[in-house]
Amino acid sequence: SSSSSSSSKLTFSDDGRGSVDKYTIVFLDAGIVTELEYQDQRNLKDLFKAVILNDGAEAGRLMVERAKYERCSQVEGGIEQFSKGVEEIVAEFHDRRKQGLTLGVVRIGSLLSQVLDLCQIHGVEIDPAMSNIVMSTLVLEGLGRALDPNLNLIDIALPFILGRGKV
């Protein structure tokens, strides 16, 4: 199941008697809930692993292979074109990573939007459970950037992607 989430950030200053103290209050609604079946978890983990290991062609192949519906295999060279597009998006992700893979540098929403556009162009259906993950990621990216723009995504995600992380 899934529900929407929102966060707001309010910053104010106490400028009495010439001193300025800055305070930030963050309101968080943690109402995003998504449960994935075991196979969906496996698919997501395999996809993220390919992205983190800078194997965009494999990520694209996995997306087509595991889609419930796709039409790019019906077009000569369609899978290769789709995989090449994903490979370029993943390469862009890793180029930005050289600056440090922090929420202040990497715009996950923009990269996910490019992937969704590519899926639409090539007729690769995104599973509804994965769509919920994408929406959750977009919301959490904004929240994370507000809380700590220096948070390194690879440091946090890698243990989970490689199977050594615990929630």
Side-chain angles (χ1 to χ4, degrees):
S1 79
S2 155
S3 63
S4 66
S5 175
S6 63
S7 70
S8 301
K9 186 173 178 180
L10 171 66
T11 304
F12 62 93
S13 296
D14 177 13
D15 55 2
R17 304 192 190 220
S19 66
V20 177
D21 296 318
K22 192 170 185 174
Y23 303 92
T24 301
I25 298 173
V26 177
F27 299 94
L28 169 63
D29 173 3
I32 297 175
V33 178
T34 300
E35 272 186 57
L36 296 177
E37 298 293 326
Y38 176 79
Q39 190 57 47
D40 291 332
Q41 290 177 24
R42 180 85 249 144
N43 290 345
L44 185 64
K45 194 173 189 179
D46 291 347
L47 180 62
F48 279 172
K49 184 176 182 181
V51 169
I52 291 204
L53 296 177
N54 200 10
D55 192 350
E58 173 70 1
R61 187 190 63 73
L62 286 170
M63 290 177 71
V64 171
E65 179 183 286
R66 297 179 181 179
K68 288 183 173 49
Y69 170 80
E70 56 78 21
R71 68 172 190 263
C72 67
S73 64
Q74 300 167 8
V75 176
E76 187 175 332
I79 295 173
E80 292 77 15
Q81 288 177 348
F82 178 79
S83 294
K84 178 73 172 158
V86 173
E87 185 174 34
E88 290 169 2
I89 294 167
V90 170
E92 179 183 343
F93 171 80
H94 282 275
D95 284 347
R96 291 181 185 183
R97 184 177 168 198
K98 293 173 188 167
Q99 303 169 38
L101 192 58
T102 64
L103 289 172
V105 173
V106 176
R107 300 289 187 233
I108 296 170
S110 172
L111 296 172
L112 287 173
S113 178
Q114 290 176 50
V115 171
L116 292 176
D117 288 346
L118 195 62
C119 286
Q120 183 180 16
I121 290 166
H122 291 277
V124 178
E125 183 179 278
I126 300 292
D127 184 87
M130 295 302 163
S131 296
N132 284 338
I133 296 292
V134 169
M135 292 305 297
S136 299
T137 301
L138 296 176
V139 170
L140 293 174
E141 175 191 23
L143 174 65
R145 187 173 294 115
L147 295 174
D148 185 0
N150 296 315
L151 181 71
N152 189 309
L153 300 172
I154 290 291
D155 291 346
I156 303 301
L158 200 55
F160 294 95
I161 300 301
L162 298 178
R164 295 186 290 251
K166 300 284 184 227
V167 178

